[in-house]
Amino acid sequence: MKKSTIVGYPRIGVNRELKKAVEGYFKGDLILNELQSTAKLLRKEYWETQKEKGIDYIPSNDFSFYDNMLDMAILLGVIPKRYSELNLSPIDTYFAMARGYQKNDKDVKALRMKKWFNTNYHYMVPEIEEDMQFSLNDTKPYDLYKEAKELGVTTRPVVIGPFTFLKLSRLKTTNTFEKCLEELVDVYIEILSKFEADKVEWIQIDEPILATDLTVEDIILFKKAYKKLLDKKVNTKILIQTYFGDVRDIYNTLIELDFDGIGLDLIEGRKNLEIIEKYGFPKNKLLEAGIVNGKNIWRNDYKKSIEIIKKLEEYVEPDNICLSTSCSLLHVPHTLRAEVNMNEKYKESLAFAEEKLGELEDLKKLDSNSEYIESDIFKKNQEILERKNTNSICYNTIIRSKVENLKEEDFIRKEKFEERNKIQKELFKLPILPTTTIGSFPQTSEIRGLRQQFKKDGITQKEYEDKIKEKINEVIKFQEEIDLDVLVHGEYERNDMVEYFGEQLEGFLFTQNGWVQSYGTRGVKPPIIFGDVERTKPMTVNWIKYAQEQTAKIMKGMLTGPITILNWSFPREDLSLREIAYQIGLAINEEVLDLEKAGIKIIQIDEAALREKLPIRKEDWKKEYLDWAIPAFRLTASKVKPETQIHTHMCYSEFSDIINEIQDMDVDAITIEAARSDFSLLDFLKEKNFKPEIGPGVYDIHSPRVPSEEELEKLINIMMDKLDVNKLWINPDCGLKTRGIEETKLSLINMIKATKTIREQLKK
């Protein structure tokens, strides 16, 4: 029978125990020993679960208090001076790098944060400073290996490889990439020798960067680095693990090098099978075949998976094939056991992390059975899939017809940007450097408790709505007091920017406890797109209309765009992403037009997730994504009047390579994350004569630190040096939902004061 493994496992806990413990430590409610005890219990639980489910190669060191790239930076001694000079404990230095530090007259910003390839997970960007010496600086991978061993579980330690680590790091040094890699490999040799000393059988080195576009120079450097590393191994076997795509550029190098195993993604890396067919696979190496989807939550189709396995066996020694997940299960919820309220007719079609372990065990059994088609396991699997595909909510003839009949004019605003911009400036009469926020205000335990009471029938709908209106009134009053120019209603009625809309649209399914880590202690519950999407009623109009009636200032209507709703949900697999996006786009378009009829003059359609789902390969960007993603957004606002100003918001502003497509969204204003990115994008926008008005975030909301008025003045001046002041908006870099009330108020007050100071200077 074949063996099985997984690339990694979720760590936040079935009930988000790790999140609560880490945040308790931040607040001072837990001491370090209590935090470590919680983490130890969680690791014990997930190691033993994997062992019970029959996983043969169980990973360790996939656990993290915050982020694995940050863990790797600590392990390699990549700690910038501004953090080491704080003279904190190791754990507090770690968290200062993740969140920033503002205490006892010390004020240090957090490391940058970026999307982890094409996922909704965020990693901390390591910084390689001038004269920084790489060194083995931590014992975590070894400690966790021994911890599992004491529980009777032999694990395979996981580390992020030197090539991926360095490629994703920020090099603030005069040393070349090649020089840094050479020095870094010396530390990896030390890491390996320490594993050798502990008699570790296998070590997994993750190199997901190998699924991206690689140059000839990249391949040469990779080969040189790993030849040096592999020459030092003695008994410990090394698995090179890739995921999120295929390794077409470097496959021949991988099979030539002295790796004992190679992990390939056969879900997103569909061409990996073709590559194996073309070039073969070494008889003396283990192939970890990623055939169970680590990024989506649908039950595996055993028929298709067995067909892939049989195909692989034509080119790979059958006993050298190990069945695996396509990537870490970090990207899916823990277990369906927690979904006690979900209807079985939906639930049976799903597989979360724990259930995927069972799927790997099933596939092992089916593969060893020559009559697998007649087995109960196989028959039950196919019956479930058939019931799912014939479910009535999966096919809505009205919506399908609307999508089929879309015309070119449905994606185009009649008036050009320049014409609209002139009309809007005359109509709104906003001051220079208009101020606003991205939309949400802090969601307190009081608000969350109120929502729970309403869901459990603890209060009436009127009582719930009256309480929400009280909060809206409070936030409007605060915004008026500090003199923000364009207000928001705070989004207190919303549990999440995607889940809220999904709950009011047909075709979505929701989990009770399907939490997935987004970054650090931040978790999200992605909706599941089970059927065709339809809007049957207004979703935000009453709340926004009420908020506008409470103020003479402009109130923004706040919506989530179709691509973000799609990208932050688990999409169905029986319909193209293009068609799903257009279905959602039509629904949002109806909401936009209703907001406009209700007198809302500025409507923000957030596309926070537009950038993150770009295919791994640049050659696939347009035909596989942008050619339908941009039109799906345009569909939402194509029919509004020129007086209606359309805004959008995007996170993690690495947009220089798709700037033409972003301009093609044809918005009137865009707000972006720039506070952690030193505004480097703005030079590029100026060079490209970017048309829309723009609000580069002036402070980082993912950190609890409060920026000073002087700091913000300096940043606004930098922005004005780079872009036309008449096109600039002043705002935070993202929504304020996850921040505390006091820090939010202080930060916004300082933002307004700084803006007014700059305005006075401009008058002189």
Side-chain angles (χ1 to χ4, degrees), residues 402-414 416 578 582 586 589 627 630-639 664 666:
K402 284 183 178 180
V403 170
E404 288 171 9
N405 291 312
L406 285 170
K407 299 179 179 61
E408 186 177 352
E409 56 263 33
D410 293 318
F411 299 93
I412 300 171
R413 291 184 76 174
K414 290 180 181 178
K416 299 294 184 186
R578 175 194 296 264
Y582 285 0
L586 285 168
N589 170 259
D627 280 354
I630 301 301
F633 176 85
R634 291 174 66 117
L635 182 60
T636 65
S638 61
K639 293 181 171 62
D664 196 40
D666 200 22

Side-chain angles (χ1 to χ4, degrees), residues 618-635:
K618 285 189 177 182
E619 69 178 58
D620 299 329
W621 282 9
K622 287 187 69 66
K623 65 181 179 180
E624 291 191 11
Y625 185 66
L626 293 170
D627 280 354
W628 55 261
I630 301 301
F633 176 85
R634 291 174 66 117
L635 182 60

Side-chain angles (χ1 to χ4, degrees), residues 104-119:
N104 301 329
D105 298 325
K106 295 178 179 179
D107 189 354
V108 180
K109 292 183 179 181
L111 291 173
R112 290 185 182 185
M113 187 162 63
K114 291 185 180 179
K115 295 286 185 179
W116 181 245
F117 295 90
N118 58 353
T119 74

Side-chain angles (χ1 to χ4, degrees), residues 161-271:
F163 203 68
T164 294
F165 180 83
L166 207 54
K167 279 283 186 180
L168 299 183
S169 293
R170 187 182 179 199
L171 270 59
K172 300 171 68 176
T173 171
T174 53
N175 280 349
T176 63
F177 179 90
E178 181 177 6
K179 177 65 173 173
C180 289
L181 183 61
E182 184 181 334
E183 293 177 359
L184 201 55
V185 168
D186 288 335
V187 183
Y188 275 80
I189 290 171
E190 192 177 348
I191 291 170
L192 178 59
S193 66
K194 195 164 170 50
F195 279 128
E196 294 264 11
D198 288 339
K199 295 182 169 56
V200 173
E201 182 184 3
W202 279 94
I203 175 174
Q204 175 181 320
I205 302 181
D206 283 4
E207 289 283 13
I209 202 75
L210 300 185
T212 64
D213 294 315
L214 301 176
T215 65
V216 172
E217 183 185 11
D218 286 334
I219 297 168
I220 292 170
L221 291 177
F222 178 87
K223 185 175 182 178
K224 180 182 177 183
Y226 269 94
K227 193 170 186 318
K228 181 179 178 182
L229 175 62
L230 294 168
D231 282 347
K232 298 296 182 181
K233 77 182 181 78
V234 181
N235 295 314
T236 297
K237 297 176 182 178
I238 292 184
L239 169 81
I240 189 81
Q241 181 67 59
T242 68
Y243 38 86
F244 301 146
D246 66 73
V247 292
R248 70 187 79 163
D249 296 337
I250 201 167
Y251 178 76
N252 284 325
T253 298
L254 292 180
I255 61 176
E256 288 168 9
L257 286 167
D258 190 24
F259 293 116
D260 300 283
I262 301 173
L264 299 177
D265 178 351
L266 297 172
I267 301 295
E268 288 187 284
R270 291 180 293 276
K271 288 190 177 180

